Amino acid sequence: MSLEEVAAMMDNPLGNLWILYMQNEMARMRGDPSDGAQWSNTFSAQPILPVPLTENWNIVTRPIVPLITAPEFELDAPAFGDCPGNCGSPPSGMPGSVGSSRETAWGDISGWSMLSPSQPSVLDGGAKFVWGLGGVARFPTATKDRFGSEKYTFGPAALALRQPSPDGRWTFGLLQQHYIWSFGGNPKRERVKSSQLQYIWWYKLPTKTPISIGATPIAEVNWQADSRDKWSIPLGIGASTTFFWGKMPVRLGAEFSWFVVSPDNYGKKFFFKLYLAPVIPRLIKKPIFGE
């Protein structure tokens, strides 16, 4: 299989490759209670794990396990509800301040799981259409209260992606995630109710080594927040390349996103994201049901 064919398969988040996606995001925060600006850092492991149910259908799971480093907060009550990147955000009106010291802790584990055709549909002109339906979940695994929601949360998810024809260059897609059912956990914490929309766009450059320009930012609305703190909307640009490390295909990329809208109450101003994604051996190759 050629490197270009492998790169095209890696562009499909609901494909048949097991990919160990690792990401590090450095975000510049703004607004109260930071009294200026502060940096937060989130490293996350996000393996993409398709399992064949039948010859024609896969169940694809992508857990997200974050390790967060952020300034220490001094707050008069438990804070940090739900926010982009699992970092948490103090609710509006909550008195508090950011200290000069920092702390590191595990955040809430989240992720999605979707049912998807094992092979994309071929459109007129040779382009491919990928889709999946399923759900998202978040679990209160944070080792610091302020780095998680302390709630179990579930909801629906869907993905649609158009990949280019062999002669084409543009990839477009949308991933929707809705965290709407929140229960259990700490009764003093607010329930979680939020929606995320990740827009995906890539342009494949006419180079010998696969290189693409594009981005995968995530816009989010926190339905529990005040109107000025509901929306986080980024615009992004980045680049990625795919290469063989020995016999292992690896993707390396970087993105920058600027938030045109973000919460007044300790929202993100911009962030840098670096990621490394090697293809790993599939442990489950045969369909679970049938041959």
Side-chain angles (χ1 to χ4, degrees):
M1 187 177 298
S2 69
L3 182 58
E4 189 164 335
E5 290 174 326
V6 173
M9 293 178 67
M10 294 183 72
D11 288 340
N12 179 3
L14 296 177
N16 293 300
L17 297 178
W18 281 30
I19 302 173
L20 181 56
Y21 187 93
M22 295 173 288
Q23 170 182 299
N24 192 77
E25 177 188 298
M26 293 184 62
R28 188 70 164 175
M29 313 301 289
R30 53 171 288 280
D32 297 334
S34 63
D35 191 23
Q38 296 279 347
W39 287 96
S40 70
N41 188 89
T42 301
F43 172 83
S44 59
Q46 306 180 25
I48 301 174
L49 307 171
V51 174
L53 293 180
T54 68
E55 288 186 357
N56 299 319
W57 294 93
N58 288 343
I59 186 76
V60 186
T61 302
R62 186 173 190 171
I64 301 173
V65 184
L67 180 65
I68 304 168
T69 300
E72 288 187 351
F73 274 82
E74 296 178 0
L75 297 167
D76 296 341
F80 285 94
D82 193 43
C83 90
N86 265 337
C87 61
S89 176
S92 295
M94 179 68 71
S97 62
V98 178
S100 58
S101 58
R102 300 173 66 80
E103 58 185 353
T104 299
W106 296 101
D108 286 349
I109 294 175
S110 63
W112 51 257
S113 188
M114 295 190 197
L115 182 68
S116 175
S118 56
Q119 298 297 329
S121 301
V122 179
L123 307 175
D124 292 341
K128 296 180 179 180
F129 179 69
V130 177
W131 64 273
L133 295 173
V136 290
R138 179 172 294 165
F139 304 95
T141 58
T143 52
K144 295 278 187 179
D145 294 348
R146 64 197 58 166
F147 284 171
S149 65
E150 294 189 284
K151 295 287 186 180
Y152 294 90
T153 308
F154 299 89
L159 183 145
L161 185 79
R162 180 193 180 277
Q163 292 188 285
S165 65
D167 297 328
R169 302 199 177 278
W170 287 100
T171 295
F172 296 103
L174 290 173
L175 169 62
Q176 300 180 58
Q177 303 177 78
H178 302 286
Y179 293 90
I180 56 177
W181 298 299
S182 179
F183 59 91
N186 187 343
K188 296 182 180 179
R189 298 290 294 271
E190 291 187 359
R191 68 189 184 96
V192 177
K193 190 175 183 180
S194 66
S195 298
Q196 295 179 344
L197 178 63
Q198 182 175 26
Y199 61 94
I200 302 164
W201 68 275
W202 289 106
Y203 178 77
K204 182 175 61 176
L205 297 179
T207 54
K208 185 176 180 180
T209 300
I211 298 176
S212 295
I213 303 296
T216 57
I218 298 175
E220 180 170 47
V221 55
N222 181 357
W223 301 109
Q224 296 293 98
D226 292 342
S227 58
R228 65 179 184 177
D229 292 326
K230 282 185 183 295
W231 292 91
S232 298
I233 303 176
L235 296 177
I237 185 69
S240 70
T241 183
T242 306
F243 57 92
F244 282 120
W245 185 18
K247 296 183 178 180
M248 178 188 295
V250 177
R251 174 157 294 174
L252 178 66
E255 291 184 29
F256 172 81
S257 288
W258 180 275
F259 283 79
V260 294
V261 176
S262 65
D264 291 339
N265 197 34
Y266 203 57
K268 290 182 180 179
K269 187 175 183 180
F270 59 85
F271 70 77
F272 299 97
K273 179 171 71 175
L274 298 173
Y275 57 89
L276 180 70
V279 175
I280 59 177
R282 291 177 61 184
L283 298 182
I284 303 175
K285 299 180 180 180
K286 295 183 178 180
I288 295 176
F289 303 104
E291 294 297 332

